[in-house]
Amino acid sequence: MKWLQLILNAFLKYQQGRSLMPKNTESLIGLLISIIVIIIAVANGIAIGYALIVVWCIMAYVFYRKGYQPKELLNLSWTGAKSSIVVMQIFLLIGWLIAMWQAAGIIPMIIATGIDLIDPSLFIACAFLLTAIVSMVLGTSFGTVGTIGIVLITMARAGNIPEDIVAGAIIAGAYFGDRNGPLSSSASLVAALTHTRVPTNIPIMFKDGLPALVISTVLYLLLSQWFPLNYTNSLLPDTIHFVFNIDWTLWIPVIIVIALLPLKVSIRWPIGLSALAAAILAYTNQGATLSDLGWYTLTGFELPHYNPLANIIHGGGLQTMFIPTLSIFMATAISGMLEGVGFWNDLRQLLERAKTRSDVFAANVGLALLTGAVGCSQAIAVVMTHSIMRITYAQRGIQDEDVMLDFENSGILIAPLLPWNIAAYVPIVMLGTSIAGYVPFAFFLYLVPLLYWLRLRNQDQPIIR
């Protein structure tokens, strides 16, 4: 009878284990399959927008089996998706901006100026610090990557530096400013969710992130020494001046962005007006025809293949933004469906196991990874995670400023580390680099959560509830 007792014990342990897991097993299996689909798509270079269509179908089928009608699921999906329309407009405007800045000679002009000003042995560190400063001033990571980021990655290509390293520095710098900038929409979102104020939060965030900033800068300085700019064509500035008609008027679209972005107007205005000004300058200064400008707008700027700058100066266009716009539409549709059916409610019971302060933050990070992976948006990751965890924070009496830091150090920085998340995918598309090669070099993005968790762990005491 010993074997019968062993079976009984095994069954009791199985039942006990089941009691600790969410009851919504079928939905969790669907979620797991969805994440696998996304990972396979990323690994095989399949456009993430198409993978998200498959994910929507998987989750819709799961909820259909649970009793939801197709019309109801479509309505929930549209409720989430329609919130992305403004973001999709911005993506398309950025595609237009990049193409027009290339066609007008603005990016070539800044490259020629940068070659003379930036020390080749400090380039990667400068890429990180410049994007960090610009992002803090402008308050937009996408706007930063789509302007100064494009210039820097183009210089890296011309200077034979591994693109993934520079892309990591650019994306890390852009999200340093996104986290700490007074005009940042993500900083405003976290402040609104945690009942804090952005001006009060900025010094706290900067002090908390300072060790990661210093370590990141040192690492980029070392990489700069190992991979300095190396212009095989020392006549690159002269070549730029030969191919493009460079004069002071090309700074006008740049000034438009710098002047308007800090104002409390929709980001669509500075990007759109700057692109329009650049299109006019491409017509008047560079001899582009209206048909040329229309073609560049649709497919991106390109020089003839025999031009010595053809492999350096190119890109932009609405075509390059098709997949990002499809991705954000599908991501928000999936998010709306999951939120509407109350999918995330079942995860709350797992938070009962978080007994210390570092455990709570670790749970926040885990949920940010999950919601960021499925929702494919930085904002969705933060909002969903807050929706799941707000009761846990309230029950444990954690102060609002500490809650704010938890979210700034989790969802805000983790989303750009997921290559299929819009926070990473759009910058990758704009920079034209590999889908995940930047991740090991985006030091600031994972040093902040790691150092913060270690500090909490050193101060850990059981939370009295």
Side-chain angles (χ1 to χ4, degrees):
M1 300 292 289
K2 197 177 226 181
W3 61 272
L4 189 59
Q5 186 178 0
L6 289 173
I7 293 175
L8 181 60
N9 288 338
F11 177 74
L12 290 173
K13 287 182 179 179
Y14 169 70
Q15 288 291 85
Q16 184 180 11
R18 285 184 62 187
S19 68
L20 297 175
M21 295 299 293
K23 298 176 183 178
N24 208 346
T25 307
E26 192 176 34
S27 300
L28 290 177
I29 291 172
L31 180 63
L32 179 61
I33 294 172
S34 299
I35 293 173
I36 291 172
V37 167
I38 293 173
I39 292 172
I40 291 173
V42 171
N44 291 277
I46 300 171
I48 194 64
Y50 302 140
L52 290 175
I53 293 175
V54 176
V55 169
W56 185 91
C57 292
I58 292 170
M59 298 308 298
Y61 176 71
V62 168
F63 297 128
Y64 173 74
R65 283 176 55 88
K66 292 173 70 66
Y68 290 91
Q69 295 302 307
K71 184 177 180 181
E72 186 178 3
L73 294 174
L74 286 171
N75 286 335
L76 292 173
S77 299
W78 172 243
T79 300
K82 66 184 180 182
S83 65
S84 69
I85 292 174
V86 173
V87 180
M88 291 191 291
Q89 292 172 350
I90 293 170
F91 288 171
L92 295 174
L93 284 171
I94 288 175
W96 183 35
L97 176 76
I98 294 171
M100 294 302 99
W101 274 33
Q102 299 275 22
I106 296 166
I107 290 176
M109 173 191 67
I110 299 174
I111 291 171
T113 304
I115 289 173
D116 296 329
L117 295 179
I118 297 178
D119 187 330
S121 64
L122 299 176
F123 178 77
I124 298 173
C126 287
F128 171 63
L129 295 174
L130 278 173
T131 50
I133 293 169
V134 171
S135 185
M136 283 192 68
V137 172
L138 299 184
T140 164
S141 53
F142 289 169
T144 299
V145 175
T147 51
I148 187 66
I150 297 295
V151 173
L152 291 166
I153 200 69
T154 307
M155 291 180 68
R157 290 192 182 103
N160 299 312
I161 295 180
E163 293 180 17
D164 288 339
I165 296 177
V166 180
I170 291 170
I171 292 173
Y175 282 100
F176 170 86
D178 188 68
R179 175 182 180 268
N180 296 283
L183 302 174
S184 167
S185 58
S186 65
S188 298
L189 173 63
V190 173
L193 291 173
T194 58
H195 309 290
T196 56
R197 296 177 62 251
V198 173
T200 306
N201 294 345
I202 288 174
I204 299 171
M205 287 189 288
F206 187 83
K207 181 180 177 181
D208 177 76
L210 189 58
L213 174 64
V214 172
I215 295 171
S216 299
T217 304
V218 170
L219 291 173
Y220 289 128
L221 284 170
L222 291 174
L223 288 172
S224 298
Q225 298 298 313
W226 294 332
F227 301 99
L229 279 178
N230 179 24
Y231 293 110
T232 54
N233 179 8
S234 60
L235 299 177
L236 182 60
D238 294 333
T239 306
I240 289 173
H241 283 274
F242 178 77
V243 173
F244 294 93
N245 181 23
I246 305 295
D247 63 37
W248 68 270
T249 59
L250 297 187
W251 288 104
I252 294 174
V254 181
I255 293 170
I256 289 173
V257 172
I258 295 173
L260 294 184
L261 270 179
L263 301 180
K264 292 187 176 181
V265 296
S266 170
I267 190 176
R268 291 172 291 181
W269 283 103
I271 292 176
L273 290 175
S274 179
L276 178 61
I280 294 171
L281 290 171
Y283 180 81
T284 58
N285 286 28
Q286 312 303 340
T289 64
L290 292 178
S291 61
D292 288 337
L293 293 176
W295 185 250
Y296 297 154
T297 298
L298 289 174
T299 64
F301 178 73
E302 285 188 1
L303 291 166
H305 69 276
Y306 55 79
N307 192 296
L309 299 178
N311 293 327
I312 301 172
I313 310 299
H314 60 84
L318 303 183
Q319 180 178 290
T320 60
M321 290 296 165
F322 170 72
I323 294 300
T325 52
L326 174 64
S327 300
I328 187 64
F329 182 85
M330 292 308 304
T332 50
I334 293 166
S335 172
M337 182 167 59
L338 293 176
E339 187 71 22
V341 300
F343 173 79
W344 303 109
N345 295 337
D346 291 324
L347 293 176
R348 290 192 175 98
Q349 61 182 293
L350 293 178
L351 298 175
E352 299 297 323
R353 305 180 70 178
K355 302 300 182 185
T356 64
R357 184 67 180 84
S358 64
D359 287 344
V360 173
F361 177 67
N364 192 320
V365 170
L367 285 171
L369 281 167
L370 181 61
T371 55
V374 177
C376 296
S377 163
Q378 184 190 53
I380 290 172
V382 173
V383 172
M384 281 186 176
T385 303
H386 181 266
S387 175
I388 297 166
M389 292 202 65
R390 65 180 186 272
I391 296 174
T392 300
Y393 280 107
Q395 287 177 339
R396 285 158 173 75
I398 299 174
Q399 298 297 313
D400 289 343
E401 288 182 351
D402 294 325
V403 177
M404 176 274 297
L405 268 182
D406 276 21
F407 281 93
E408 289 287 359
N409 293 344
S410 56
I412 296 298
L413 298 179
I414 285 171
L417 288 172
L418 300 168
W420 59 88
N421 191 290
I422 297 302
Y425 190 69
V426 172
I428 290 167
V429 170
M430 287 192 287
L431 296 175
T433 55
S434 65
I435 192 80
Y438 74 96
V439 172
F441 305 104
F443 303 126
F444 184 79
L445 299 184
Y446 50 82
L447 281 174
V448 169
L450 177 60
L451 295 176
Y452 182 66
W453 177 79
L454 289 173
R455 179 163 64 82
L456 291 177
R457 188 173 175 82
N458 288 335
Q459 301 171 356
D460 257 347
Q461 291 180 351
I463 298 176
I464 300 174
R465 296 178 56 195

